[in-house]
Amino acid sequence: MEDRRGEWVVLQVSGEMDLVTSPAVRQHVHDAVAEGRHWLVLDLSEVRFCDSSGVGVLIAARRLMRSCSGRLRLILPPQGAAHGSHVHRVLAALGVRRLFDVYPDLGAATESAEEEEDAVDPLSA
């Protein structure tokens, strides 16, 4: 579930993000921060279902990373992708999609954090 790419911790989430599974994702995020890892990528490309508790975990992760001057990036396939676009649709429907830095794949998401300031969100362009 966890990988490291340079300065980034990558957490791969798959299946469902719901009331049962969301606490584990939250704990992994907190563990990374406790270890001093403040640049985090959540790979949600294999998440097939996300309910309000999953969205709550994403918002809490964003808040936590901002509080420690960290970075949070999400990997979500484009809206038209046959697989893995559920989270993208849920975040957009709730009006919170704009809160997150979203990337289409691991390579784009783990580029140097210094480039983030000038980057354009590839999914909103």
Side-chain angles (χ1 to χ4, degrees):
M1 183 172 187
E2 182 178 315
D3 189 17
R4 296 191 187 215
R5 294 285 179 115
E7 66 267 18
W8 294 97
V9 172
V10 180
L11 297 178
Q12 171 71 44
V13 183
S14 60
E16 299 181 354
M17 283 185 62
D18 58 16
L19 188 60
V20 174
T21 60
S22 291
V25 176
R26 182 185 311 267
Q27 187 62 52
H28 283 292
V29 171
H30 282 272
D31 290 348
V33 171
E35 293 171 5
R37 306 291 289 192
H38 297 158
W39 292 357
L40 178 66
V41 174
L42 292 177
D43 183 350
L44 307 175
S45 58
E46 296 297 320
V47 172
R48 301 291 181 235
F49 175 79
C50 181
D51 69 8
S52 60
S53 60
V55 173
V57 166
L58 296 178
I59 291 172
R62 178 184 181 271
R63 186 178 308 123
L64 176 63
M65 298 312 290
R66 290 173 65 94
S67 74
C68 66
S69 299
R71 308 281 170 110
L72 174 66
R73 295 178 176 180
L74 305 182
I75 298 174
L76 296 173
Q79 286 180 316
H83 300 289
S85 62
H86 177 78
V87 178
H88 196 293
R89 289 191 311 270
V90 169
L91 294 177
L94 293 173
V96 297
R97 163 56 192 83
R98 61 181 170 70
L99 298 176
F100 298 97
D101 294 321
V102 175
Y103 295 83
D105 57 49
L106 186 59
T110 56
E111 289 178 355
S112 175
E114 289 78 33
E115 297 171 12
E116 182 175 272
E117 307 259 336
D118 299 323
V120 173
D121 181 349
L123 297 180
S124 66

